[in-house]
Amino acid sequence: MTMKAVREEDDPDWAQFRQWMQKEKCGHKAGLTLANSTQTGRGLMATRGMVNGDLVVCIDSRFLVTSHKAAAFLKLDKDPRIWLPSEQAILALFMAEQRHQKQRKQGGFWNAYLDMTPRSFDTVAANYPPDLFQLLPEQVRRIAKKQMETFEKDYTQVSLLRSIDKEDYRWGWYAVNTRCITLNTAIPSNAKQKQALDGTPKIALAPFLDLLNHSTTARIHANFNPVTDAFEITTLADVERGKECFISYGSHDNAFLLAEYGFTVRESDQTGDGENEEWVHNSFDHVNLDRQVLGMEIPGEKKGFRELVLKELGDAAMLGDYGLEMHQDSYRVMNVLRLYACSQVPAQTFKSQLQLWRKVMQGQIEEVSPENEKIARFFLKTICEQALRETIASMDAVRRWGLNEGVVELNDFRVLFALTVYESHRNILKWHIRCNTG
């Protein structure tokens, strides 16, 4: 992956931001600079070699925009009768008002930071055009719809405090959602620590630090250091000079990353539609089959059977969250299908099969019976074949959308990101079909 440092003469916003950082001594000890990558776009490149334990970047608390600081700036903390909305809602209002030209003064303290923040967040799934949004994987749409509900709730609450244009607020909301940091990643070990953290800000905006891109393989330690009164990121692995420096947003698959942050990752350059493609773009990628598993038509299903099955699954804490990954069986999916298969063995009653299934769930035996296992795997193959047909059809529809819009696939990140999610799903489904054929 090639990185090329951004020259100040080529990017006035970056030049202004660097001057602001140098003047205010924001992140001044960081051995990082803005650079463009052929794979990840804009990110931060190491200007010196780093080894395990080195400090990557340190942002002093006075540059961390918390909800407390934003509320004070917006004068929302002056009236104790005002009920404040969520941290994200307050930070979003701060960003929106700061950005609004009528609210910005020439030479305003945060102007340089605002100019380095994306002008739009159109690659976040919730902001896709409606016709393209409907073509996204169900996993993505499900997360995005919850996100939309949260946005609407926050906007409604903030509108009681300020008259703010909805689109201005939307920009601020997604700026916070895609770029904020978690201040304290340590879990309180006792009630005293928990009480000390209650009421303190949990998230913040961090200039410069938010230019670091995500990688599933990043090895870093990030936390607020009360001794230095700064948010610090330390590398736990060597970083070569001239290479991009990454952080981790968490163990997320590409469906989540697209819905929450508006990007996907490609851990390798592999592509193709071959029958034996055993790769995924993101090691956390998985296919959710909730709709297919719970909606599966079971041969010879009798009245009341579905309700009984749902009760058994509920009692066993096995209702929903049916995901398939590459190169491994899914405990949850297989055990649901084993329960379905209990109704398919003519020589034995469903009741006796059900008792054996419960023993499987309790870890007393490995399988209900060889015949049950065979039927369950046939069910899995059938479900995967259905899901694969839907996935391929959706990929074709996304490509057609791009053609209708007059864009080249790789030149429209919205199309590229959607296909990236689908490619992993396709390959996972193909692998499970192959493993359960014959």
Side-chain angles (χ1 to χ4, degrees):
M1 179 169 56
T2 304
M3 293 291 291
K4 185 177 181 181
V6 174
R7 300 189 307 172
E8 292 187 25
E9 55 265 36
D10 295 332
D11 191 332
D13 289 340
W14 171 236
Q16 182 183 16
F17 185 61
R18 282 199 69 176
Q19 291 169 14
W20 176 79
M21 289 174 60
Q22 291 168 358
K23 176 185 175 183
E24 302 295 338
K25 292 183 168 46
C26 172
H28 63 290
K29 295 180 181 179
L32 302 169
T33 191
L34 187 68
N36 289 318
S37 162
T38 54
Q39 188 171 352
T40 59
R42 187 172 73 169
L44 293 180
M45 179 182 76
T47 57
R48 55 178 170 80
M50 302 182 195
V51 298
N52 185 350
D54 278 358
L55 186 67
V56 176
V57 62
C58 173
I59 304 296
D60 188 271
S61 65
R62 70 190 182 100
F63 301 108
L64 299 176
V65 186
T66 65
S67 58
H68 288 185
K69 190 178 293 185
F73 181 88
L74 296 166
K75 297 181 171 54
L76 299 178
D77 60 344
K78 300 299 182 183
D79 189 342
R81 295 172 299 176
I82 292 179
W83 177 81
L84 296 179
S86 68
E87 288 188 62
Q88 180 168 344
I90 296 172
L91 287 171
L93 179 60
F94 170 82
M95 289 293 282
E97 289 207 354
Q98 283 287 294
R99 187 197 191 208
H100 201 282
Q101 292 300 321
K102 291 181 180 178
Q103 300 294 330
R104 290 183 63 184
K105 298 178 181 178
Q106 187 174 2
F109 185 76
W110 299 107
N111 285 4
Y113 171 55
L114 291 167
D115 289 339
M116 284 298 291
T117 306
R119 269 53 168 177
S120 69
F121 296 93
D122 58 355
T123 61
V124 175
N127 295 329
Y128 274 29
D131 50 348
L132 179 57
F133 180 83
Q134 292 304 320
L135 302 177
L136 293 174
E138 290 179 49
Q139 287 166 248
V140 179
R141 285 186 279 124
R142 189 180 302 121
I143 299 169
K145 286 177 180 177
K146 289 182 180 179
Q147 190 184 80
M148 293 175 188
E149 292 171 2
T150 303
F151 166 77
E152 293 293 342
K153 178 183 176 183
D154 284 352
Y155 179 69
T156 299
Q157 293 176 345
V158 163
S159 297
L160 300 175
L161 306 175
R162 284 284 200 281
S163 176
I164 181 81
D165 179 79
K166 192 170 188 177
E167 292 311 306
D168 286 342
Y169 186 73
R170 190 188 306 277
W171 176 87
W173 197 89
Y174 280 102
V176 175
N177 198 66
T178 59
R179 307 180 77 77
C180 73
I181 60 171
T182 301
L183 285 176
N184 198 322
T185 57
I187 299 173
S189 59
N190 54 55
K192 187 176 181 180
Q193 286 186 3
K194 185 178 185 304
Q195 184 178 9
L197 290 174
D198 285 345
T200 61
K202 306 297 189 300
I203 62 174
L205 291 165
F208 188 61
L209 188 152
D210 60 9
L211 293 171
L212 286 162
N213 286 322
H214 163 79
S215 171
T216 57
T217 58
R219 296 180 59 203
I220 56 99
H221 175 74
N223 214 340
F224 184 80
N225 186 339
V227 176
T228 59
D229 194 32
F231 191 88
E232 299 177 346
I233 293 180
T234 304
T235 182
L236 302 180
D238 294 352
V239 180
E240 293 180 34
R241 181 178 181 273
K243 297 292 185 181
E244 183 166 9
C245 191
F246 294 97
I247 58 173
S248 173
Y249 297 178
S251 303
H252 302 306
D253 71 327
N254 273 337
F256 181 90
L257 293 175
L258 178 55
E260 192 72 7
Y261 301 111
F263 69 88
T264 58
V265 297
R266 288 183 171 233
E267 293 177 353
S268 71
D269 295 326
Q270 292 176 301
T271 58
D273 299 325
E275 289 297 321
N276 297 308
E277 298 291 356
E278 295 192 8
W279 51 265
V280 290
H281 287 300
N282 180 334
S283 55
F284 297 104
D285 280 344
H286 63 277
V287 187
N288 182 277
L289 297 176
D290 282 9
R291 175 173 58 83
Q292 291 87 347
V293 171
L294 292 176
M296 178 183 171
E297 293 185 9
I298 304 167
E301 181 178 337
K302 296 180 180 179
K303 185 178 180 180
F305 177 76
R306 184 74 53 167
E307 290 75 13
L308 188 152
V309 164
L310 292 177
K311 183 180 183 306
E312 285 291 333
L313 294 176
D315 292 344
M318 291 288 291
L319 195 56
D321 193 21
Y322 304 129
L324 289 183
E325 299 179 15
M326 181 69 83
H327 297 146
Q328 59 181 303
D329 275 339
S330 166
Y331 174 83
R332 296 183 71 83
V333 172
M334 285 307 303
N335 279 315
V336 174
L337 299 181
R338 287 170 183 139
L339 178 57
Y340 288 169
C342 288
S343 66
Q344 304 295 303
V345 183
Q348 299 185 44
T349 66
F350 175 73
K351 188 175 181 180
S352 64
Q353 290 274 291
L354 180 58
Q355 294 300 323
L356 292 173
W357 181 83
R358 288 170 177 165
K359 288 185 177 181
V360 171
M361 296 304 302
Q362 294 165 3
Q364 297 178 25
I365 56 177
E366 291 187 5
E367 60 181 37
V368 175
S369 69
E371 188 172 1
N372 175 281
E373 193 70 12
K374 183 178 179 180
I375 295 170
R377 293 198 170 277
F378 172 77
F379 284 166
L380 176 60
K381 179 173 177 285
T382 302
I383 287 175
C384 287
E385 287 172 340
Q386 174 196 345
L388 179 60
R389 288 192 294 270
E390 294 174 356
T391 297
I392 292 173
S394 294
M395 293 175 71
D396 290 340
V398 170
R399 292 190 181 101
R400 284 196 301 273
W401 183 91
L403 291 173
N404 291 337
E405 294 294 314
V407 301
V408 178
E409 179 179 312
L410 295 179
N411 289 340
D412 190 315
F413 284 116
R414 297 169 301 179
V415 172
L416 175 63
F417 293 159
L419 291 176
T420 298
V421 177
Y422 273 127
E423 284 173 353
S424 287
H425 290 186
R426 176 199 63 199
N427 291 351
I428 291 169
L429 292 167
K430 283 184 177 182
W431 184 84
H432 282 274
I433 291 170
R434 287 197 303 273
C435 290
N436 290 284
T437 298

